Amino acid sequence: MTDLDWRRGPAGALEAEFVVIGAGPAGLSVAHRLARTGRRLILVDSGESDPTAHATALNDGTVSGDGYAGLTSTRHRQLGGTAAIWNTPYRGRVGAKYLRLDRSDLSARVGDLAGWPIDFATLLPWYREAERLCGLEPQVTDGADNGGGGDSSAVGSGLVTRWYRWGPRDAWTDGVLGELRRSGAATVLGGVTVVRLELGDPAVVELVARDPAGVEWRLRAQRVVIATGAIEAARLLLTMPLGGTLSWLGRGFMEHPRDRTLALVPRGPDLWHRLTRFDLGGDPPVAARLALSDQLPDRADWANASVSLFPRWRPGWLARWRGRRGTAGYGWSDRPRPERAFDRIELVINTEQFPHPGNRVSLGGSVDRHGIPKPHLHWEWRTEDQRRLDRVKTLVAQGLQAAGWGTVVVTSDDRPDPNAHHHAGTTRMAIDPRDGVVDANGRVFGTDRLYLAGASVFPRAGFANPTLTIAALGLRLGDHLADGA
């Protein structure tokens, strides 16, 4: 089977064993596993092979609470999902950084709330599978160094060096998506938006979808996987009559705020040379980062964090290098004498936000062109969030200075930027329906034919770029479904 063109209109109802809604890394991971076992599936997405205005318009919604970029600019609809717009360059290719969650992220509790119902050891085999799917080189170690690319080493008290790994976006947009198109088991339907799910028939799920022309499509499947992101998954479920049992539906939205209020003034030229390992490079490409040590007391109670080091151009160099911003990105170590071009290192702290029921997605007062209520996000950065971040900042400053790296200075009192576009939570995974929306296999509580995949099921998101965990959970769910769940 191959792509269906919505412009030709539906040829009656489409039927398959499975329908996967969403063709980003979450949906592609599930579909990949199902197709590998020969299970017939339909992969449907609002987006097409290239970005379209009508798909982008469906991202519209409203936001309240603290400052946030909005729901249109922080989401993307296209076959391949947000992977299609990743833009970190390396040797003529573009991609993104990858990282596993830490063992402490997968703890059973997060503050006063239930945490993950599965642990790191359970997810580890799927992480290894996901790394191959993402085009990553094999993991160097499965010990404390969750990022791969080398062993961790201590940096002062409470800090260690670990690694980000880089992977190409075409592993998704060409590799996985192309394999599905060639599989003979998958039908890829782009440009069509699922607007309603009907669970009345105990044997099948009926799906109603519409294309940009407003033409209705009918899909039928034995089981359905929603893999549309934390905003859209919650919105779709909120339009369904699932009763009052899912008290966490839409709640617990999390982002990955980034703090830029600290800078390191290196001790001298020798340290600049040592810091070049924090730049993206090598084969396979990795970039060092600073992480919280697993030996910290009450490690799971810390807001997890990672520190990237980006040099700031000296003021006199900005005019010489037109178009350069104040801080250099990856690639800065290619300069033979970086200490001449840069005067300090910006410490970019990627941190986590603990889930809070008040950070939530609900249905707004206006509707989209299909008549479906637009989503509304209420998001706040609370006093307890800032307190957890300040604890990390104190650890970083004291650790680097104690290690003799230089002087850490405060450059501003700005609040962290929440716009990493790493939406998580809203359909959290749990053992008990009182604590979440789906069980440990991604099945929606109170149903037996509806599943969720993606970061929306994360009970705790850590600080990590979520794609690797999304893929690992997607492969795990795909196998679960293929085994006849």
Side-chain angles (χ1 to χ4, degrees):
M1 304 175 78
T2 184
D3 292 20
L4 285 181
D5 190 342
W6 64 265
R7 295 166 183 82
R8 298 177 182 176
L14 301 176
E15 297 190 20
E17 292 179 82
F18 303 93
V19 168
V20 179
I21 309 171
L28 288 171
S29 301
V30 178
H32 165 84
R33 214 53 165 192
L34 292 172
R36 279 284 182 96
T37 60
R39 311 303 288 268
R40 293 187 305 110
L41 68 110
I42 299 169
L43 179 66
V44 57
D45 196 286
S46 299
E48 302 181 56
S49 295
D50 296 308
T52 62
H54 53 76
T56 299
L58 292 172
N59 289 333
D60 189 31
T62 54
V63 177
S64 61
D66 292 331
Y68 193 69
L71 302 186
T72 300
S73 61
T74 60
R75 299 194 289 163
H76 184 72
R77 299 185 189 226
Q78 186 178 347
L79 297 178
T82 54
I85 56 172
W86 289 346
N87 59 5
T88 300
Y90 187 79
R91 294 184 179 175
R93 302 176 77 183
V94 290
K97 296 179 296 184
Y98 282 93
L99 194 65
R100 299 173 179 177
L101 290 177
D102 280 333
R103 296 173 187 271
S104 59
D105 295 330
L106 288 152
S107 57
R109 304 294 300 178
V110 49
D112 295 330
L113 302 175
W116 284 81
I118 57 177
D119 59 14
F120 186 88
T122 299
L123 200 53
L124 182 56
W126 308 107
Y127 268 136
R128 293 170 177 151
E129 291 286 332
E131 285 158 353
R132 286 190 283 269
L133 195 69
C134 297
L136 303 180
E137 293 293 327
Q139 182 83 358
V140 173
T141 174
D142 287 314
D145 177 14
N146 71 9
D151 293 323
S152 61
S153 58
V155 179
S157 176
L159 293 177
V160 295
T161 303
R162 294 201 182 144
W163 308 86
Y164 283 113
R165 305 166 72 193
W166 183 93
R169 74 182 184 196
D170 56 19
W172 294 105
T173 56
D174 297 335
V176 181
L177 191 56
E179 182 179 333
L180 282 173
R181 285 169 164 155
R182 297 187 298 269
S183 69
T187 297
V188 179
L189 178 57
V192 175
T193 302
V194 174
V195 298
R196 190 168 72 251
L197 280 74
E198 300 172 354
L199 301 176
D201 189 325
V204 298
V205 181
E206 300 271 357
L207 298 88
V208 179
R210 294 196 184 98
D211 62 29
V215 176
E216 187 171 286
W217 294 63
R218 304 286 298 194
L219 311 176
R220 290 167 54 90
Q222 297 172 21
R223 289 182 174 83
V224 171
V225 178
I226 299 173
T228 53
I231 303 293
E232 204 64 21
R235 177 170 81 144
L236 187 56
L237 289 181
L238 285 166
T239 64
M240 298 175 59
L242 292 172
T245 60
L246 302 178
S247 60
W248 271 95
L249 179 55
R251 298 182 181 273
F253 176 86
M254 296 170 285
E255 255 280 14
H256 283 150
R258 289 171 291 193
D259 181 86
R260 297 177 179 269
T261 62
L262 298 182
L264 171 70
V265 181
R267 186 183 56 202
D270 290 345
L271 187 63
W272 278 102
H273 178 71
R274 288 169 52 194
L275 292 177
T276 59
R277 63 182 172 146
F278 285 84
D279 196 10
L280 185 65
D283 189 16
V286 296
R289 60 185 180 87
L290 298 175
L292 305 188
S293 170
D294 292 331
Q295 305 308 312
L296 281 172
D298 302 319
R299 177 67 176 82
D301 294 331
W302 285 72
N304 207 354
S306 180
V307 186
S308 296
L309 280 67
F310 294 112
R312 191 185 72 169
W313 293 91
R314 291 185 182 276
W317 284 73
L318 287 176
R320 199 177 308 178
W321 295 88
R322 297 181 61 185
R324 300 279 188 177
R325 295 185 179 182
T327 302
Y330 287 117
W332 63 268
S333 64
D334 290 340
R335 305 201 58 77
R337 295 283 301 277
E339 71 276 7
R340 297 178 59 188
F342 308 112
D343 62 357
R344 62 180 59 181
I345 299 282
E346 187 176 75
L347 303 175
V348 180
I349 301 177
N350 294 272
T351 189
E352 77 168 309
Q353 180 179 35
F354 277 21
H356 190 285
N359 289 338
R360 63 178 300 193
V361 173
S362 58
L363 298 179
S366 60
V367 299
D368 64 18
R369 68 166 177 268
H370 298 307
I372 308 302
K374 295 180 180 180
H376 175 79
L377 171 66
H378 183 82
W379 180 85
E380 294 182 34
W381 181 251
R382 293 174 167 79
T383 301
E384 58 264 35
D385 296 319
Q386 186 63 43
R387 185 168 58 247
R388 295 184 187 104
L389 172 60
D390 288 342
R391 186 186 188 191
V392 170
K393 290 166 63 175
T394 298
L395 177 72
V396 170
Q398 293 177 348
L400 292 182
Q401 291 179 157
W405 284 32
T407 302
V408 175
V409 297
V410 177
T411 58
S412 78
D413 59 357
D414 292 344
R415 290 164 66 88
D417 175 11
N419 297 291
H421 307 184
H422 294 169
H423 301 167
T426 75
T427 66
R428 66 196 320 261
M429 180 184 290
I431 296 174
D432 192 300
R434 292 173 296 183
D435 298 319
V437 177
V438 302
D439 68 12
N441 291 315
R443 179 184 59 84
V444 176
F445 288 121
T447 74
D448 59 2
R449 299 189 178 277
L450 187 58
Y451 292 78
L452 290 172
S456 70
V457 307
F458 289 12
R460 178 178 185 174
F463 69 87
N465 298 47
T467 304
L468 191 59
T469 304
I470 287 171
L473 288 173
L475 293 173
R476 180 173 179 265
L477 174 56
D479 269 357
H480 177 72
L481 294 172
D483 287 342

